Amino acid sequence: MQERSFITPLKESIEDKKKELTEKMEKQMMKRLQSSTYPMRELLAFYRCAMMEVETKFRVLDEQFSLSHDRNPIESISSRLKTLDHIYEKARRKGIPLTIECIEKGIFDIAGVRVVCPFENDIYMLRDSILSHDDITLVEERDYISKPKPSGYRSLHLIIEVPIFLLNEKRLMKVEVQLRTMAMDQWASLEHRLMYKKDIPEEVKNDLRKKLLECADLNCRLDLIMQEIKDTTDLYLEDQ
């Protein structure tokens, strides 16, 4: 019994030392990355170029579709680039070494493009159209429309690889694309504002989650009804 009581605190002390050393090494690596600003600024510039490429492709699809169908399948397009702090935080959370090479290979959503559509069918039409481009590679797809998250969140997520053409090279960059209807986008924006990093008691949060899930169900029903209305009106337009 005496031996066991001596060994246990010793093991805990060793684990604490390991954790302290790991945190110290991570902080040193972060300082090196932040001090070598040019490589990181260059990498983020590449991601900005990739976002512009993807945005342009969607805008071209929207313009072409409007010419042939007399309506636009895209309501809005926006983009965002993760900050260095968020990149480093995600790398630590996923256990990715804090080097530029590992961050680029291990984090797929540094660059993000969000496409908001009027109707649910527009989402899948745009998905098929963008993936038909011979310079686009699908890396990953998550369909939270057919299988919503437990919270009620609905959206189609694509990780695609797109080439950017630099002065002396072609470089492949990953971009996360989120495709949503207007109802899905409004719900996600409000849910984020109401629930994200708020100091709310857990019992109150549980009640709010139930109400948000009810709203998500209503939004899903709204999208279905609006799609039915559109499909019906399209039939009459075809007869003219």
Side-chain angles (χ1 to χ4, degrees):
M1 293 292 292
Q2 289 180 350
E3 183 181 357
R4 189 172 295 174
S5 63
F6 171 75
I7 291 174
T8 301
L10 182 61
K11 285 183 177 179
E12 290 175 353
S13 177
I14 292 172
E15 290 300 318
D16 289 342
K17 289 287 185 184
K18 283 183 179 178
K19 186 178 179 181
E20 184 181 337
L21 182 61
T22 301
E23 289 176 353
K24 186 176 180 181
M25 290 174 65
E26 284 183 350
K27 286 179 182 178
Q28 289 175 345
M29 184 63 73
M30 281 184 65
K31 284 181 180 178
R32 286 198 205 109
L33 281 168
Q34 289 169 341
S35 62
S36 59
T37 55
Y38 179 75
M40 278 305 299
R41 285 193 292 112
E42 184 181 48
L43 181 63
L44 292 179
F46 293 160
Y47 279 115
R48 274 192 293 271
C49 292
M51 288 191 305
M52 287 190 285
E53 288 283 348
V54 174
E55 279 194 52
T56 299
K57 284 180 177 294
F58 277 112
R59 294 189 192 282
V60 169
L61 288 172
D62 187 52
E63 183 67 23
Q64 183 183 10
F65 191 90
S66 69
L67 288 171
S68 55
H69 294 79
D70 198 28
R71 74 172 188 88
N72 294 84
I74 296 176
E75 186 69 21
S76 67
I77 302 175
S78 59
S79 60
R80 65 103 185 97
L81 193 65
K82 277 189 182 297
T83 64
L84 287 178
D85 287 344
H86 284 125
I87 292 170
Y88 296 147
E89 173 59 32
K90 184 159 189 176
R92 283 200 306 272
R93 196 167 64 247
K94 294 182 69 176
I96 296 170
L98 294 174
T99 66
I100 290 175
E101 292 77 14
C102 291
I103 285 171
E104 187 175 1
K105 289 178 181 178
I107 301 179
F108 294 169
D109 63 344
I110 292 176
V113 173
R114 182 175 298 157
V115 181
V116 179
C117 305
F119 302 100
E120 196 171 297
N121 283 0
D122 293 331
I123 291 173
Y124 294 102
M125 181 275 293
L126 289 169
R127 171 207 176 275
D128 293 341
S129 295
I130 197 76
L131 294 182
S132 70
H133 293 196
D134 56 14
D135 59 344
I136 292 287
T137 301
L138 177 64
V139 176
E140 183 180 296
E141 178 175 351
R142 294 183 183 181
D143 190 345
Y144 297 119
I145 298 174
S146 61
K147 294 181 180 179
K149 288 186 178 183
S151 64
Y153 175 85
R154 298 169 66 235
S155 184
L156 180 66
H157 289 203
L158 308 174
I159 304 295
I160 60 174
E161 204 167 51
V162 60
I164 59 171
F165 296 89
L166 307 169
L167 288 174
N168 299 308
E169 64 172 321
K170 179 178 80 171
R171 190 179 178 108
L172 296 175
M173 305 298 297
K174 292 181 181 67
V175 177
E176 181 190 52
V177 177
Q178 297 178 357
L179 295 120
R180 305 171 175 175
T181 63
M182 292 181 283
M184 294 175 198
D185 188 56
Q186 184 186 43
W187 184 93
S189 298
L190 290 174
E191 190 265 352
H192 183 79
R193 289 184 191 178
L194 293 170
M195 302 295 288
Y196 185 64
K197 290 184 177 179
K198 293 284 181 70
D199 189 15
I200 303 172
E202 194 59 33
E203 63 273 13
V204 177
K205 272 192 174 182
N206 288 335
D207 184 54
L208 294 177
R209 289 188 186 105
K210 289 178 184 178
K211 290 176 179 176
L212 282 166
L213 187 56
E214 289 176 15
C215 291
D217 291 339
L218 289 171
N219 271 350
C220 181
R221 181 64 181 151
L222 174 64
D223 276 336
L224 288 172
I225 293 172
M226 294 302 291
Q227 185 68 58
E228 288 174 5
I229 292 171
K230 178 192 172 297
D231 292 344
T232 301
T233 56
D234 284 351
L235 287 174
Y236 283 96
L237 287 172
E238 288 174 4
D239 293 339
Q240 292 179 4

